[in-house]
Amino acid sequence: MLASRSYKWIVFLLSITFYSVLQQLQAQNDSLAMDQEGIYPGYVITNSGDTLRGYIQFESASANQLEVTYYSSMNLEETRYTYKPGDIKGYKLLSYTFVSVPFSGKYCSRKKTFMHRTIDGPITLFKWYYIEKQQYFEDIDISGYNPDPSYELVYKVQLFAQKFGEKPVNLNSTKFEIRFRIVMSKYVLECLELAKKIEKKKKGYTHDHIERIIREYNACDLK
């Protein structure tokens, strides 16, 4: 009997702590740090199209692209489910939507992954997060370099665009980055006015403005 009461008390305390953490997370303007672990309000979308509301565990941007842990209620361990891409259509936590797609980004060879969908429409824009080691040195002698260098893990973003029914294109490929004016203007040619802005290098229509370009394309009359 005593053990049973202790267990219920522990569950009660965990529930209060969990709820408090959720309140703090919701107050962060729906913003996620790339390496900030936590459990957030969200839902998964099953392959049959059903929406299962509950809580999503965020481990890191890169880890959550390979699998996701979902809790149907605050009684954590008893309602815990882990899904891989292909098991579900996608999931959402806070304002972030991850979709199961049949391709992957840099440093990954998986046939299916969850990608962060930032724009949905005639052209869908996905973000793929990957980690690279940033090497740095400390000045310790006249040479100016520390012979025992350290590394810092740095998140980087790879952009993919996909038109309905077509294969995704890597917007960070050499082709798009070096010949952006030519390649991107052809990619959005159905929206002629937009294509002309890109081709003529109009201010605000460079590789640094991809999201703006895609939103403008999606708003264009494509009939």
Side-chain angles (χ1 to χ4, degrees), residues 10-70:
I10 291 172
V11 170
F12 175 72
L13 290 177
L14 287 174
S15 297
I16 292 177
T17 303
F18 180 53
Y19 180 77
S20 175
V21 171
L22 285 178
Q23 293 296 101
Q24 295 176 29
L25 293 174
Q26 286 179 298
Q28 295 176 352
N29 298 319
D30 280 2
S31 178
L32 287 176
M34 294 296 95
D35 57 354
Q36 181 179 332
E37 296 183 9
I39 299 176
Y40 299 78
Y43 58 81
V44 301
I45 301 176
T46 68
N47 285 331
S48 60
D50 295 325
T51 298
L52 306 179
R53 298 190 178 276
Y55 306 96
I56 301 295
Q57 183 171 332
F58 183 76
E59 297 180 19
S60 70
S62 56
N64 273 62
Q65 295 173 141
L66 305 181
E67 67 176 30
V68 62
T69 299
Y70 159 79

Side-chain angles (χ1 to χ4, degrees), residues 52-192:
L52 306 179
R53 298 190 178 276
Y55 306 96
I56 301 295
Q57 183 171 332
F58 183 76
E59 297 180 19
S60 70
S62 56
N64 273 62
Q65 295 173 141
L66 305 181
E67 67 176 30
V68 62
T69 299
Y70 159 79
Y71 299 94
S72 62
S73 77
M74 290 173 61
N75 189 3
L76 300 183
E77 289 304 320
E78 294 181 13
T79 64
R80 183 176 187 269
Y81 303 89
T82 300
Y83 299 104
K84 295 184 181 298
D87 295 338
I88 56 175
K89 287 186 176 180
Y91 65 93
K92 184 170 183 175
L93 66 157
L94 299 179
S95 63
Y96 292 72
T97 300
F98 284 80
V99 181
S100 178
V101 295
F103 56 93
S104 60
K106 194 170 184 178
Y107 302 141
C108 183
S109 59
R110 301 283 184 92
K111 292 183 178 180
K112 289 185 177 181
T113 60
F114 291 118
M115 278 206 184
H116 179 198
R117 186 181 67 198
T118 59
I119 298 177
D120 193 16
I123 292 181
T124 301
L125 182 66
F126 296 101
K127 287 185 178 181
W128 172 261
Y129 302 96
Y130 63 97
I131 299 175
E132 284 194 346
K133 289 182 178 180
Q134 181 73 40
Q135 188 173 10
Y136 64 93
F137 299 85
E138 294 182 359
D139 297 337
I140 61 169
D141 55 29
I142 194 170
S143 67
Y145 295 105
N146 185 343
D148 184 20
S150 299
Y151 291 89
E152 178 183 3
L153 296 180
V154 177
Y155 271 98
K156 293 194 174 183
V157 178
Q158 187 177 13
L159 300 176
F160 288 90
Q162 186 175 31
K163 289 182 178 179
F164 182 76
E166 297 184 6
K167 293 182 178 181
V169 295
N170 177 8
L171 298 178
N172 292 108
S173 65
T174 302
K175 178 175 68 174
F176 270 91
E177 290 189 340
I178 295 180
R179 303 175 64 235
F180 184 80
R181 178 179 67 87
I182 298 172
V183 178
M184 194 66 186
S185 61
K186 288 183 178 179
Y187 190 66
V188 300
L189 193 57
E190 298 92 343
C191 187
L192 191 56

